[in-house]
Amino acid sequence: AAGKRKRAALPLGKGKRARTSPSAAEAEAAPAGAPQEYSIPPPVCQGKWKNKERVLIFSSRGINFRTRHLMQDLRTLMPHSKADTKMDRKDQLFVINEVCEMKNCNKCIFFEAKKKQDLYMWLSNTPQGPSAKFLVQNVHTLAELKMTGNCLRGSRPLLSFDPIFDKEPHYALLKELFIQIFSTPQYHPKSQPFVDHVFTFTVTDERIWFRNYQIIEEDASLVEIGPRFVLNLIKIFQGSFGGPTLYENPHYQSPNTHRRLIRLSVAAKFREKQHVKEVQKEKKKESKLLVKEDPTEVVFETPAAEKPVEIQLVKPESKPIVKDKKKLRKIQRKKQKKLFRTEA
């Protein structure tokens, strides 16, 4: 403030102007004793923010801690995102278009929780559309994975897509939707002018696998950062959060159907075990058939030699009962000595 007052006090035409870096001719012309003028470097982002994409990321009530952490991870990775309070379950989905309009957002990522165990993700271009609904599976957050990779906060990512995104029409539509939502606009005020990580979208097993990798400068190798999740496409709508259905996934199986099939398979195994036990009980209750004697069995029987019957006329000597083992050994030794003497 003091500097501004001093400049204002000078007469017109004699005020100092901020100079850029002096050229070589001016540097040579300046005398040796004159004070040097330092130039302020220009800002890193010299361009203008033209692509004003803003993404609203929020959820419905009833989400668990893992979904909340995943939502927070996406907000940190996307500097052009905005947050909002949770939406009530009773509200209709088309109300989100009004929320996006109030937040000045033209894209939306909405997490919808059902039964406190199923998670759905809506990607929408508000308010005209299109929009896509996914079932989110295998969610792993940044804090949960503890990967070795890391990236600068607010840096712009590269988007890598599977070749199948250019072959199928519905995947081509999803690719354009992913590009507009996940790519950070150039010269965004909150973004950094660096590209140090990659968002990969791979199609495997009729699902879209999302991964986030760090680009290492030394050898351009990739190290996973996180988060990671799998998107199972359900439907693509023409409008935003509704409208005519453009595509419906024939391979999609709802979580309720999947859990019902698991219960039926467990019940079928239990019924099979019970049926086996009942069959075994019935076999035991059945009357056993008596097999008639075979007369030819006696042919191969050989009578054993008869032993002569021995009758003892003398009572056997009773053995002395000795509790002490040492005394018993002494008695046995004395008997042996007597036998040797008689034989000699």
Side-chain angles (χ1 to χ4, degrees), residues 4-278:
K4 289 182 180 178
R5 287 171 192 162
K6 288 180 181 178
R7 290 194 199 101
L10 293 174
L12 294 173
K14 294 184 180 181
K16 291 185 179 180
R17 294 181 180 178
R19 299 178 62 185
T20 57
S21 58
S23 60
E26 291 178 354
E28 292 176 358
Q36 295 181 355
E37 294 184 2
Y38 295 97
S39 61
I40 300 172
V44 180
C45 293
Q46 296 180 358
K48 189 178 180 181
W49 179 31
K50 296 180 181 178
N51 181 21
K52 298 195 176 182
E53 296 281 355
R54 300 181 185 88
V55 183
L56 180 64
I57 303 176
F58 72 118
S59 68
S60 66
R61 296 192 180 277
I63 61 172
N64 54 9
F65 71 97
R66 185 175 278 109
T67 307
R68 186 173 66 252
H69 290 180
L70 174 65
M71 190 168 55
Q72 190 61 36
D73 293 343
L74 290 178
R75 287 172 183 168
T76 55
L77 290 172
M78 301 164 63
H80 59 294
S81 64
K82 288 187 177 182
D84 195 20
T85 56
K86 295 179 182 178
M87 195 180 76
D88 196 0
R89 292 180 185 177
K90 297 179 181 178
D91 295 339
Q92 299 295 327
L93 290 177
F94 60 83
V95 179
I96 301 175
N97 296 325
E98 299 177 5
V99 177
C100 291
E101 187 177 358
M102 288 188 292
K103 286 283 184 178
N104 197 16
C105 297
N106 52 1
K107 299 289 185 295
C108 180
I109 299 178
F110 177 68
F111 292 94
E112 185 180 7
K114 291 184 178 179
K115 293 187 176 181
K116 296 185 179 180
Q117 54 185 343
D118 302 330
L119 178 64
Y120 298 90
M121 178 192 285
W122 285 84
L123 300 179
S124 176
N125 179 24
T126 56
Q128 292 86 12
S131 59
K133 185 181 181 181
F134 300 91
L135 174 67
V136 186
Q137 299 171 331
N138 301 334
V139 177
H140 298 281
T141 59
L142 275 170
E144 181 184 359
L145 287 173
K146 296 181 181 177
M147 293 289 185
T148 56
N150 197 1
C151 65
L152 185 67
R153 185 186 180 94
S155 59
R156 301 180 65 233
L158 293 174
L159 299 184
S160 175
F161 291 93
D162 197 271
I164 198 172
F165 278 93
D166 297 327
K167 298 176 182 178
E168 300 290 337
H170 60 281
Y171 280 131
L173 178 61
L174 291 177
K175 178 181 178 181
E176 185 63 29
L177 196 61
F178 288 147
I179 289 172
Q180 294 183 15
I181 290 177
F182 287 97
S183 61
T184 304
Q186 195 173 11
Y187 305 123
H188 191 276
K190 292 183 180 179
S191 67
Q192 300 289 339
F194 304 103
V195 178
D196 57 355
H197 63 288
V198 187
F199 289 162
T200 61
F201 298 90
T202 311
V203 178
T204 306
D205 194 20
E206 303 296 336
R207 292 170 174 82
I208 300 172
W209 300 63
F210 175 86
R211 295 290 184 271
N212 182 20
Y213 295 98
Q214 175 195 359
I215 304 172
I216 299 177
E217 297 180 1
E218 288 77 10
D219 52 354
S221 60
L222 299 178
V223 180
E224 189 171 355
I225 305 172
R228 56 162 68 172
F229 52 88
V230 179
L231 299 176
N232 190 359
L233 178 63
I234 302 173
K235 284 183 181 181
I236 301 176
F237 300 96
Q238 184 177 355
S240 177
F241 296 98
T245 303
L246 298 179
Y247 175 78
E248 185 175 359
N249 188 8
H251 306 283
Y252 171 72
Q253 188 181 60
S254 66
N256 294 331
T257 308
H258 181 67
R259 287 191 288 268
R260 179 173 171 273
L261 292 175
I262 291 174
R263 289 196 299 270
L264 289 175
S265 63
V266 173
K269 288 182 181 178
F270 180 74
R271 283 197 301 270
E272 187 178 355
K273 288 182 180 179
Q274 292 295 326
H275 180 66
V276 171
K277 287 182 180 179
E278 290 175 0

